[in-house]
């Protein structure tokens, strides 16, 4: 800080230039001005919204906050205890008033998919994805509404009465079908073929009956579906086999007549020769066409390169023709020699002129070489086109002969292929029919019971869960209710709360700035962002003049107990307020860890308190002037 200066308007000492944008230091979340040594301490300013900076929580901060939380709990412990007793009692009554449910568990294994009846498995077995889908199908069927209805209808009147007995005291007694359908659940361990069926009921014997009946009914349904599928498959395959036998006989008759009509015994031998010749000509024609296309592209590129540069060394077709590469090296040597001579002689020296003539002559030779290369490419293209035309004519001739043979032999070959395909299909059908005949009398083994239904003893776990829930809810209520009461009642809602609690007067209140963009908050007064908020800062500055008996220059510190409470925002706007009142004002940021004012006011990095202190604190007349150090 510097000594006092005269205010330009009031002729009283000030503490800095009347620069509305004056700022110092480096960017950070805290902006402080030094306090006056002997003046009275001004009342505080209530800030309800800050710059949203946060330095994080240290271990000491956490310990302090836990201490505050425990003090709040101790203050309102009767309310917390009452809430804990009420909540724990209600939860305990709910848990222990529910009837004890006995759980029966059984396990089944899916052995053979239904799809194997009609579809032959590959030598490597059924794909993993197909098996997974089949297992998911089992699970979907067991959880379907149709099967649950079949399961519920499988109980007789006596069994339905046993299922309903524990629920007869309720106002709305569910039906036995509803109880049975809702009491059973099915789960499967991912990637495995085991299904676990769980049944719950207040009567342990009924729980066992539900689990066993669910498995047996599902097995019975699968057996019915498998037997029905076997019968349908057998009927379909036999009908198809008879149809194929008639079609095969008809095709054999047609094939014999066709052979006799066209005498295809000798034609078949010539067909192979023509096919080989066509293949050879077509291969040669493809190679010639590729060569022609390559030459056309090379000529087009060469002409474009020659139009752009008379010496297109980047074109591989032209640069590699003849001795162009050797002449290019000679040209480079001559240019290097000319560059060496240029270091010793002037441009008009005989040796320099001779070197230029040699270079020019070599470039002319290279230009001729590139033109010859282009003519050579055009000659090759002409030969390629002639070869392509000749091969095309030959191919058309041979192809016409082949078409004539194909016309006679195509029908015969088609009949043969169709006959072979139908014979193979007939053989596959006969194999499937044979397998189904062998499996028709075999038992259906799609599902196997691994474990018969047994009771799980889960009452101890239920008791532990109930006691744990009571403890958690009780402790949570004992701690949470005091905190909620404190949050709703013990809050500072205005300056009157602060004055009545701490017996201190306030300078003013800065309201929350949620509607003001973050980038505009430090410059509310300077830029007149919000007239209502500008008036708040003007009122605080006026209260400083009224409440403080210290004459100008005044030194004001802006601080708080934790980061992120709006110190930088208040300091920036308060400095702008004093400059609006005509006070020369210096704003210094003494937060050397995370300063922020320099960024807020666009101050260069070579200005500010740290830069001034690093220069051994020079004291000059321009120290506090705009643009000064």
């Amino acid at each position: 800080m510097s000594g006092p200066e005269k205010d330009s308007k009031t002729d009283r000492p000030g503490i800095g230039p009347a620069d509305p944008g004056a700022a110092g230091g480096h960017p950070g979340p805290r902006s402080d001005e030094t306090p006056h040594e002997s003046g009275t301490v001004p009342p505080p300013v209530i800030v309800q919204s800050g710059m949203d900076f946060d330095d994080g929580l240290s271990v000491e901060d956490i310990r302090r906050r836990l201490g505050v939380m425990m003090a709040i709990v101790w203050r309102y412990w009767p309310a917390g205890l009452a809430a804990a007793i009420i909540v724990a009692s209600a939860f305990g009554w709910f848990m222990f008033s529910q009837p004890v449910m006995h759980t029966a568990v059984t396990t089944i294994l899916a052995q053979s998919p239904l799809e194997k009846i009609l579809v032959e498995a590959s030598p490597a077995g059924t794909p993993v994805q197909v098996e997974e889908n089949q297992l998911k199908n089992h699970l979907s069927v067991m959880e379907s509404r149709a099967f649950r209805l079949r399961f519920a209808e499988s109980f007789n009147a006596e069994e339905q009465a046993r299922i309903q007995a524990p629920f007869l005291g309720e106002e709305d007694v569910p039906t036995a079908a509803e109880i049975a359908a809702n009491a059973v659940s099915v789960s499967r361990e991912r990637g495995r073929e085991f299904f676990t069926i769980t049944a719950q009921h207040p009567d342990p014997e009924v729980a066992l009956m539900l689990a066993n009946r669910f498995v047996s009914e599902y097995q019975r349904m699968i057996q019915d579906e498998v037997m029905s599928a076997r019968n349908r498959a057998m009927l379909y395959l036999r009908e198809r086999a008879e149809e194929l036998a008639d079609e095969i006989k008809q095709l054999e008759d047609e094939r014999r007549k066709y052979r006799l009509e066209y005498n295809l015994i000798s034609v078949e031998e010539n067909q192979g020769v023509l096919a080989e010749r066509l293949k050879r000509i077509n291969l040669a024609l493809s190679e010639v066409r590729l060569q022609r296309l390559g030459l056309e592209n090379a000529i087009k590129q060469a002409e474009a390169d020659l139009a752009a540069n008379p010496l297109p060394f980047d074109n591989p077709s032209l640069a590699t023709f003849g001795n162009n590469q050797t002449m290019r090296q000679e040209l480079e040597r001559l240019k290097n020699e000319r560059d060496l001579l240029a270091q010793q002689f002037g441009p008009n020296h005989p040796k320099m002129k001779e070197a230029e003539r040699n270079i020019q002559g070599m470039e002319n030779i290279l230009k001729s070489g590139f033109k010859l290369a282009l003519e050579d490419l055009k000659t090759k293209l002409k030969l390629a086109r002639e070869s392509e035309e000749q091969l095309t004519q030959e191919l058309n001739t041979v192809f016409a002969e082949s078409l004539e043979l194909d016309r006679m032999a195509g029908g015969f070959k088609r009949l043969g292929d169709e006959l072979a395909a139908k014979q193979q299909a007939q053989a596959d059908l006969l194999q499937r029919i044979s397998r189904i005949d062998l499996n028709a009398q075999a038992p259906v083994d799609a599902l196997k019971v691994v474990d018969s239904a047994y009771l799980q003893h889960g009452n101890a776990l239920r008791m532990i869960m109930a006691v744990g829930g009571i403890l958690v809810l009780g402790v949570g209520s004992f701690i949470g209710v005091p905190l909620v009461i404190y949050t709703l009642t013990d809050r500072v809602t205005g300056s009157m709360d602060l004055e009545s609690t701490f017996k201190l007067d306030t300078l003013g209140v800065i309201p929350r700035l949620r509607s003001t963009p973050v980038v505009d908050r430090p410059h509310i007064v300077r830029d007149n962002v919000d007239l209502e908020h500008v008036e708040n800062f003007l009122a605080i500055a006026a209260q400083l003049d009224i409440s403080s008996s210290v004459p100008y220059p005044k030194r004001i510190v802006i601080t708080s107990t934790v980061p992120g409470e709006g110190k930088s925002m208040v300091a920036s706007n308060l400095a702008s307020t004093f400059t609006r009142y005509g006070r020369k004002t210096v704003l210094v940021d003494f937060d050397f860890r995370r300063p922020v004012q320099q960024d807020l006011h666009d101050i260069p990095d070579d200005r500010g308190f740290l830069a001034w202190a690093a220069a051994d604190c020079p004291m000059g007349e321009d120290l506090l002037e705009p643009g000064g150090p």
Side-chain angles (χ1 to χ4, degrees):
M1 302 293 292
S2 67
E5 297 182 1
K6 292 291 183 180
D7 191 300
S8 60
K9 292 187 178 181
T10 62
D11 199 28
R12 290 185 292 179
I15 53 172
D19 180 9
H26 300 280
R30 183 188 302 180
S31 299
D32 299 341
E33 294 183 358
T34 57
H36 195 276
E37 296 86 345
S38 59
T40 59
V41 178
V45 177
I46 299 177
V47 182
Q48 295 180 340
S49 179
M51 291 296 292
D52 298 330
F53 292 102
D54 189 6
D55 287 349
L57 292 177
S58 63
V59 177
E60 185 61 31
D61 292 334
I62 297 175
R63 187 183 296 110
R64 177 176 58 82
R65 296 190 181 188
L66 288 175
V68 172
M69 184 180 71
M70 295 307 299
I72 294 172
V73 174
W74 179 252
R75 180 179 176 182
Y76 298 100
W77 72 267
L81 180 60
I85 293 174
I86 294 173
V87 173
S89 300
F91 180 77
W93 175 84
F94 174 77
M95 289 295 295
F96 292 108
S97 63
Q98 300 296 319
V100 177
M101 302 296 290
H102 295 275
T103 302
V105 179
T106 182
T107 306
I108 58 176
L109 171 65
Q111 288 185 326
S112 59
L114 297 180
E115 285 77 5
K116 287 187 178 180
I117 296 173
L118 296 177
V119 181
E120 175 65 17
S122 62
T126 306
V128 175
Q129 185 61 40
V130 174
E131 291 184 354
E132 181 67 19
N133 291 336
Q134 293 165 355
L135 294 173
K136 290 180 180 179
N137 291 340
H138 276 298
L139 187 61
S140 299
V141 172
M142 283 187 280
E143 293 179 345
S144 65
R145 182 176 178 275
F147 174 71
R148 293 300 177 109
L149 181 61
R150 173 172 176 161
F151 165 64
E153 293 175 350
S154 64
F155 298 99
N156 56 34
E158 181 183 355
E159 292 171 338
Q160 292 179 6
R162 292 179 59 189
I163 294 173
Q164 277 186 300
F167 302 93
L168 294 177
E170 298 181 3
E171 296 181 1
D172 187 9
V173 180
T175 63
E178 294 174 346
I179 298 172
N182 296 325
V184 181
S185 61
V186 184
S187 62
R188 180 177 77 89
E189 184 177 351
R190 183 173 180 83
R192 303 190 65 185
E193 296 83 8
F194 289 92
F195 294 87
T196 300
I197 290 85
T198 304
Q200 291 185 332
H201 196 271
D203 188 343
E205 294 183 358
V206 174
L208 291 172
M209 179 186 68
L210 290 174
N212 289 325
R213 182 66 57 83
F214 189 91
V215 173
S216 61
E217 193 63 28
Y218 187 69
Q219 284 181 315
R220 188 176 298 108
M221 186 191 74
I222 294 297
Q223 289 175 355
D224 294 342
E225 291 184 355
V226 169
M227 294 304 298
S228 175
R230 284 176 177 174
N231 294 334
R232 291 195 303 271
M234 179 67 72
L235 179 62
Y236 169 78
L237 292 178
R238 290 188 183 278
E239 292 177 353
R240 184 57 183 156
E242 294 175 358
E243 292 176 359
L244 283 175
D246 296 337
E247 293 174 1
I248 289 172
K249 183 177 182 301
Q250 183 178 358
L251 285 173
E252 289 176 344
D253 294 340
E254 292 180 3
R255 198 163 179 262
R256 283 192 296 268
K257 294 178 181 179
Y258 202 93
R259 181 189 293 272
L260 294 174
E261 182 179 356
Y262 292 100
N263 190 22
L264 292 179
I265 298 176
S266 60
V267 173
E268 290 175 350
E269 297 176 356
N270 294 333
Q271 188 73 20
V273 176
L274 286 176
E276 184 64 26
R277 187 178 176 187
L278 278 173
K279 181 179 178 181
R280 185 174 63 255
I281 296 174
N282 191 45
L283 181 61
L285 182 58
S286 299
E287 293 176 354
V288 170
R289 285 175 177 171
L290 290 175
Q291 182 182 2
R292 174 180 58 80
L293 291 174
L295 289 171
E296 288 177 350
N297 292 332
I299 291 173
K300 184 182 299 183
Q301 184 64 39
E303 289 176 346
D305 293 341
L306 281 172
N309 184 6
L311 297 177
F313 291 113
D314 293 336
N315 189 295
S317 301
L318 300 179
T320 56
F321 177 76
N323 58 348
N324 285 350
Q325 285 292 108
T326 304
M327 289 188 291
R328 179 183 180 183
Q329 295 174 1
E330 181 63 20
L331 178 61
E332 294 295 332
R333 186 190 67 77
L334 291 174
K335 288 183 178 181
N336 292 333
E337 184 178 342
R338 179 193 60 185
D339 293 340
L340 292 174
L341 292 174
Q343 298 176 2
Q344 300 177 6
F345 308 105
N348 296 325
H349 193 275
K351 290 186 177 181
M352 288 294 295
K353 293 182 177 180
E354 183 181 358
E356 290 293 343
R357 287 194 298 271
N358 292 336
I359 291 173
Q360 186 65 32
M362 185 55 65
E363 288 180 349
N364 292 334
I365 294 174
L366 278 171
K367 291 178 181 179
S368 300
F370 281 118
K371 291 181 180 178
L372 288 175
L374 180 60
E375 293 299 327
D376 181 69
L377 289 175
K378 292 181 178 179
T379 302
K380 291 181 179 178
L381 175 61
K382 181 180 179 182
L383 293 176
R385 288 175 174 171
E386 292 176 354
S387 298
E388 182 182 3
E389 183 178 358
Q390 182 180 357
L391 287 173
T392 302
Q393 293 177 355
E394 185 177 357
L395 179 66
N396 292 335
T397 302
V398 176
F399 187 70
E401 297 177 4
S402 178
L403 286 178
E404 181 64 21
L405 287 175
D406 287 343
R407 187 183 65 82
M408 293 184 293
F412 184 78
K413 184 177 183 301
R414 177 182 56 80
L415 291 173
D417 293 342
E418 188 175 354
L419 177 61
K422 291 187 179 296
Q423 289 175 342
Q424 182 63 40
Q426 185 186 37
D428 294 339
L429 284 177
L430 293 176
Q431 291 179 0
R432 293 187 184 184
I433 292 173
S434 177
R435 284 195 301 271
I436 293 177
D437 285 338
L438 292 176
N439 296 330
Q441 304 302 323
V444 178
D445 59 348
L447 294 173
K448 176 183 178 182
V449 178
V450 178
D451 290 323
S452 298
Y454 62 92
L455 291 175
Q456 278 188 342
H457 300 285
N459 292 332
L461 178 60
R462 181 172 179 269
M463 181 67 68
I464 293 173
M465 292 178 61
V467 173
I470 292 172
L471 291 176
V472 170
L473 291 176
V475 174
S477 301
F478 182 75
I479 297 175
V481 170
L483 294 177
V484 171
I485 294 174
Y486 175 78
T487 302
L488 297 176
T489 59
D490 290 11
R491 297 185 63 185
V492 177
T493 59
S495 59
M496 295 182 61
D497 292 341
L498 188 66
E499 292 174 353
S500 62
T501 302
F502 296 101
K503 309 304 180 184
L504 293 173
D505 295 331
T506 59
L507 290 173
V509 176
I510 300 173
R512 296 185 182 274
L513 307 176
R514 292 175 178 172
S515 60
T516 304
V518 176
V519 295
D520 293 336
R521 293 176 187 175
H523 310 299
I524 292 174
V525 177
R526 189 191 72 183
D527 300 336
N528 286 325
V529 175
D530 190 312
L531 294 180
E532 180 183 356
H533 298 332
V534 171
E535 289 296 330
N536 292 324
F537 285 105
L538 294 177
I540 292 170
Q543 286 296 325
L544 281 173
D545 277 340
I546 295 172
S547 62
S548 175
S549 61
V550 179
Y552 282 92
K554 298 178 184 291
R555 296 175 183 174
I556 303 171
V557 62
I558 298 175
T559 184
S560 70
T561 57
V562 296
E565 290 191 332
K567 295 179 290 296
S568 300
M569 180 270 297
V570 172
S572 177
N573 284 290
L574 199 57
S576 299
T577 304
F578 283 124
T579 59
R580 174 175 289 197
Y581 280 153
R583 301 291 186 186
K584 291 185 177 182
T585 307
V586 178
L587 176 59
V588 186
D589 196 339
F590 284 107
D591 186 350
F592 299 150
R593 183 178 58 169
R594 292 183 179 179
V596 73
Q597 294 295 341
Q598 189 160 0
D599 276 356
L600 295 180
H601 295 278
D602 298 327
I603 302 300
D605 291 339
D606 59 347
R607 310 290 176 84
F609 183 82
L610 290 180
W612 175 71
D616 293 333
C617 304
M619 304 295 294
E621 294 182 357
D622 64 339
L623 175 64
L624 301 179
E625 293 299 325

